[in-house]
Amino acid sequence: MSLTQNYKLNVIQWYPGHIAKAEKNLKEQLKRVDVVLEVRDARIPLATHHPQIDEWVGSKTRLLILNRLDMISPQVRSLWVDYFKRQGEVVYSTNAQHGQGVPAVLKAAQAAGVELNQRRRDRGMLPRPVRAVVIGFPNVGKSALINRLLGKRVVESAARPGVTRQLRWVRISDQLELLDAPGVIPLKLEDQEAALKLAICDDIGEASYDNQLVAAELVNVLNYLQDVATELLPKKPLESRYQLDSSPHTGEAYLHLLAEHRYKGDVERAARQLLTDYRKCLLGEIPLELPPN
Ligand SMILES: Nc1nc2c(ncn2[C@@H]2O[C@H](COP(=O)(O)OP(=O)(O)OP(=O)(O)O)[C@@H](O)[C@H]2O)c(=O)[nH]1
């Protein structure tokens, strides 16, 4: 069953030119590397996956990283770890802002270098550092991860999504070099349900959307999760924060009530506040996706 029941089609608008350019840039970056560090948002590990990634990455080593570890509970995190294990994938969880989990990513990337050099030696070639790139949707924490891997601040990490930078190799150790500019994964045009989740989490770059529709969708998803996975969510997160229970209402109706209740009828302000509070984790540790059974 789909998490989002009431979303309307084409709520999220993209600029097709930007998407084509992002895809071209990403492919350019991927051509130069041996290892790909794919960062996803731990709140939405499926919506931050692009169906063409496997094709683009090809036979290179790919490390899967769930970032924003601090924004979901340890219980939900371990459900995801198990889910990916069942899919045959090792997943690394990180908090790129504070550094948790980053040493394990570094170790795995360097281990890929050891394998690469073994293959080079077997073919009579000289060893060289493994070359890696960090990729992911806008604003998932790619720059923060690069800075943590480097142990210093060389890449701008900003709350503003979609910041562009130029390409440069940075040596992390004798075994590992990293492209200092992360690869931005282009949005999937056709999947509006995923796009809504990206918009709720602010992982959507320059796409334009209606705050009120996106905030209403957040309420719908929270109501749905509250019904199907009560034990995995904080208790009544909206009621706790705004003293207004969301469960009897649709997202849209709740937004209007919240506007009346707290913002003198200003629905846009209510929508922005709700989204900001969610993005700052002020509603608690709330995933928008749970692993499918
Ligand atoms: N709470 C939390 N915030 C994080 C984490 N990682 C990054 N951030 C914050 O998220 C915001 C975006 O991080 P960036 O590293 O700029 O993300 P990016 O993917 O490089 O973004 P673009 O340049 O837009 O593609 C910044 O405000 C970071 O401080 C994390 O693990 N937890």
Side-chain angles (χ1 to χ4, degrees):
M1 186 182 164
S2 152
L3 279 186
T4 46
Q5 298 299 310
N6 300 320
Y7 69 91
K8 300 184 179 90
L9 280 178
N10 298 321
V11 169
I12 315 288
Q13 305 279 316
W14 287 274
Y15 306 106
H18 287 177
I19 291 175
K21 195 167 161 228
E23 185 175 332
K24 187 165 164 270
N25 289 345
L26 180 68
K27 285 180 172 166
E28 266 312 304
Q29 285 166 295
L30 290 174
K31 257 200 270 176
R32 300 164 194 238
V33 301
D34 315 297
V35 174
V36 179
L37 311 184
E38 183 195 349
V39 183
R40 299 197 202 165
D41 187 326
R43 295 167 296 178
I44 46 170
L46 303 178
T48 45
H49 171 65
H50 193 292
Q52 276 167 282
I53 282 295
D54 286 350
E55 179 194 318
W56 291 333
V57 169
S59 59
K60 298 170 200 294
T61 303
R62 183 177 59 99
L63 302 179
L64 177 56
I65 298 154
L66 294 192
N67 188 45
R68 300 185 182 278
L69 163 66
D70 53 307
M71 299 182 114
I72 58 170
S73 67
Q75 204 185 353
V76 171
R77 172 188 170 193
S78 82
L79 288 177
W80 279 114
V81 171
D82 292 347
Y83 167 79
F84 283 110
K85 209 183 205 170
R86 290 199 299 277
Q87 315 283 312
E89 294 227 57
V90 180
V91 62
Y92 297 86
S93 313
T94 55
N95 173 343
Q97 203 173 33
H98 292 129
Q100 284 100 332
V102 177
V105 173
L106 187 57
K107 213 169 137 196
Q110 311 216 67
V114 172
E115 277 175 37
L116 166 95
N117 281 320
Q118 191 53 53
R119 287 198 302 274
R120 287 178 67 88
R121 268 192 218 97
D122 292 347
R123 283 185 274 151
M125 297 160 85
L126 286 174
R128 64 159 172 78
V130 68
R131 291 175 192 146
V133 65
V134 173
I135 67 167
F137 279 82
N139 216 38
V140 292
K142 302 179 297 299
S143 306
L145 179 67
I146 293 175
N147 289 328
R148 282 280 161 193
L149 285 167
L150 294 175
K152 57 184 182 237
R153 195 181 160 79
V154 291
V155 184
E156 184 186 348
S157 175
R160 183 164 59 88
V163 184
T164 23
R165 310 161 191 105
Q166 26 160 288
L167 291 189
R168 204 157 45 102
W169 287 109
V170 234
R171 168 105 21 148
I172 294 189
S173 67
D174 288 344
Q175 295 106 48
L176 185 62
E177 279 179 1
L178 196 64
L179 265 186
D180 81 332
V184 181
I185 298 177
L187 298 164
K188 321 175 246 202
L189 280 163
E190 61 296 331
D191 191 344
Q192 281 286 314
E193 186 177 339
L196 274 164
K197 290 181 195 153
L198 293 172
I200 293 171
C201 294
D202 199 18
D203 293 344
I204 199 151
E206 297 173 45
S208 72
Y209 54 85
D210 179 327
N211 285 312
Q212 295 178 30
L213 288 173
V214 171
E217 184 60 13
L218 169 60
V219 177
N220 288 333
V221 176
L222 293 185
N223 279 344
Y224 170 75
L225 288 172
Q226 208 79 59
D227 281 350
V228 298
T230 323
E231 71 291 352
L232 294 173
L233 253 65
K235 250 203 186 98
K236 298 203 176 259
L238 295 175
E239 188 175 356
S240 307
R241 178 129 189 108
Y242 308 119
Q243 288 73 53
L244 194 62
D245 185 11
S246 62
S247 54
H249 306 290
T250 63
E252 194 182 350
Y254 184 75
L255 204 58
H256 282 84
L257 281 174
L258 184 64
E260 287 306 323
H261 181 66
R262 289 176 77 104
Y263 304 105
K264 300 187 175 131
D266 188 339
V267 182
E268 180 64 18
R269 225 182 118 204
R272 282 174 188 272
Q273 193 61 51
L274 225 140
L275 289 172
T276 305
D277 286 353
Y278 175 73
R279 291 165 183 168
K280 288 189 172 164
C281 241
L282 296 175
L283 305 176
E285 295 165 332
I286 304 180
L288 297 185
E289 290 177 337
L290 293 169
N293 292 320

